[in-house]
Amino acid sequence: MWAVQGHFVSSNSRSRTVERNMALFWGLLQTSSILGSLFYFLMLRGSEEIEPHIRWTVISTLLGASIIGIFVFSLIRQPWFAKLPRQYTQLSECPAKPFGPKEALVRTIRLAMRRDMLLLIPHFFYIGFECTMWASVYSTSLGYTKAFGIIRQSLVGLNGVFLGLGEISASIALMLISKRFHKKNKDTLVIVGMLVHFTAFYLIYLNIPSLSSTTPNDGLSFIGPNPYLALFCTVLLGVGDAIWTNQLMSYLGCAFPYDCVSAFAVYQFWTAITNSGSFGYSTRLELPYQLLILVITAVPAAAGFCLAEWGSSRNFQNF
């Protein structure tokens, strides 16, 4: 799905609009986080335990919405392609003719071995790690923190709402500044996103008990825990994630306009590996150590993206 969505947005964008369109797509996508989490919050409001009938109501509703969304997306028509002048050839060359599954696999493997894609591997890894944090670890930690009292299950739902608000706010800001950053300065935005995430990680470390990621507990944190600060950290996680993901997707769309399906497939391959691996240890490793892993991987992720961006900026041409 991610490879197809990335291809669709890239195919309907030019170099000057890909940043804006990626931000618009990401903002619309994150509205589902607000609506789904608000539904979850209303279903569990005032409950300390999740009853079986509530569980099935939530699962069936979200499953039905997913099926409808996939069906509607399948009805979108392929965009029309005009023949581009030779001088508008991008960093990856346009294929002379359609190719089958075997050729597509070989092409994807060759693309994955390119220097700029290898530089982006730490970035792919970090996206997988931080996705696990905001999608599972942090919401679980809020629900397992008994010091929040009766509102702890409701905070799990509100966590998704405020995450969506952070994602959408950052996407709107990126759309407003897209004209300035469509060719360069993506590296600056990635560094800003890294600093936003570092702030969120530090505040989470101070606010949430260390055992909350593994088991329900009555422990106290350094300064709380405070539910308002917890939701503010959620917003910061959303803002940072939107910046990281939008810059990566717009970079792939600009650098590989004719290989965007393969580029997004490589991106999702590496992200899925770290995502599944981090889910494996997320229930066993205490929260401070999981935050430390994110901090350690964020630095080479930002550095690799900057090097890839600087290399592509020297060869960038409008198309």
Side-chain angles (χ1 to χ4, degrees):
M1 283 296 295
W2 275 109
V4 174
Q5 290 171 342
H7 167 67
F8 179 79
V9 178
S10 299
S11 300
N12 285 279
S13 305
R14 302 178 74 87
S15 64
R16 294 181 179 275
T17 60
V18 64
E19 181 84 23
R20 181 201 65 193
N21 292 347
M22 287 295 183
L24 177 61
F25 160 74
W26 193 254
L28 292 174
L29 174 68
Q30 293 304 321
T31 58
S32 62
S33 177
I34 294 179
L35 296 176
S37 299
L38 188 60
F39 169 70
Y40 181 87
F41 165 73
L42 294 175
M43 290 294 297
L44 293 177
R45 183 175 53 182
S47 301
E48 292 193 23
E49 302 293 336
I50 304 178
E51 300 294 336
H53 71 279
I54 296 179
R55 191 188 308 273
W56 282 110
T57 300
V58 172
I59 292 175
S60 59
T61 302
L62 297 181
L63 178 62
S66 300
I67 293 174
I68 294 173
I70 294 174
F71 174 73
V72 172
F73 187 76
S74 67
L75 300 178
I76 297 177
R77 297 181 61 185
Q78 177 76 1
W80 175 80
F81 291 94
K83 185 176 181 180
L84 296 177
R86 182 176 299 177
Q87 64 267 26
Y88 288 159
T89 302
Q90 283 291 104
L91 301 180
S92 55
E93 296 181 357
C94 180
K97 59 181 180 179
F99 42 85
K102 182 179 179 180
E103 292 80 5
L105 177 61
V106 173
R107 193 179 182 90
T108 301
I109 294 175
R110 288 177 178 174
L111 182 68
M113 300 306 295
R114 287 180 48 153
R115 178 180 179 275
D116 42 4
M117 292 298 286
L118 293 175
L119 287 172
L120 290 174
I121 287 179
H123 194 108
F124 300 154
F125 283 178
Y126 179 75
I127 293 292
F129 285 132
E130 63 99 11
C131 178
T132 301
M133 173 56 64
W134 60 255
S136 174
V137 175
Y138 190 56
S139 58
T140 299
S141 299
L142 296 180
Y144 279 176
T145 303
K146 292 183 178 181
F148 285 133
I150 197 174
I151 66 170
R152 62 190 179 101
Q153 290 298 339
S154 297
L155 283 176
V156 177
L158 288 177
N159 174 69
V161 174
F162 280 82
L163 177 74
L165 290 176
E167 297 268 11
I168 293 173
S169 300
S171 298
I172 293 174
L174 291 172
M175 281 191 291
L176 295 177
I177 63 175
S178 60
K179 289 185 178 180
R180 181 177 180 181
F181 290 91
H182 79 277
K183 280 189 180 181
K184 56 184 180 179
N185 295 328
K186 290 183 176 64
D187 50 342
T188 303
L189 290 176
V190 167
I191 293 174
V192 171
M194 180 180 68
L195 295 178
V196 170
H197 267 175
F198 282 177
T199 303
F201 299 155
Y202 180 65
L203 293 177
I204 290 172
Y205 171 71
L206 294 178
N207 191 49
I208 304 298
S210 60
L211 292 176
S212 294
S213 61
T214 58
T215 182
N217 67 94
D218 296 303
L220 297 177
S221 58
F222 292 99
I223 58 174
N226 185 300
Y228 301 103
L229 181 58
L231 294 178
F232 175 69
C233 292
T234 300
V235 174
L236 293 180
L237 290 175
V239 170
D241 178 67
I243 295 174
W244 279 85
T245 307
N246 272 281
Q247 298 316 299
L248 176 61
M249 293 175 68
S250 62
Y251 172 84
L252 295 178
C254 286
F256 309 101
Y258 304 118
D259 282 324
C260 56
V261 174
S262 297
F264 280 97
V266 173
Y267 157 46
Q268 286 302 311
F269 172 78
W270 290 116
T271 300
I273 289 178
T274 54
N275 196 211
S276 58
S278 56
F279 266 110
Y281 67 68
S282 63
T283 58
R284 299 175 177 85
L285 203 59
E286 293 182 6
L287 185 58
Y289 297 107
Q290 299 194 47
L291 295 173
L292 180 61
I293 291 174
L294 288 168
V295 171
I296 293 174
T297 55
V299 176
F305 183 89
C306 291
L307 292 174
E309 168 69 10
W310 295 338
S312 65
S313 296
R314 291 192 293 266
N315 302 313
F316 192 93
Q317 299 180 46
N318 290 332
F319 65 95

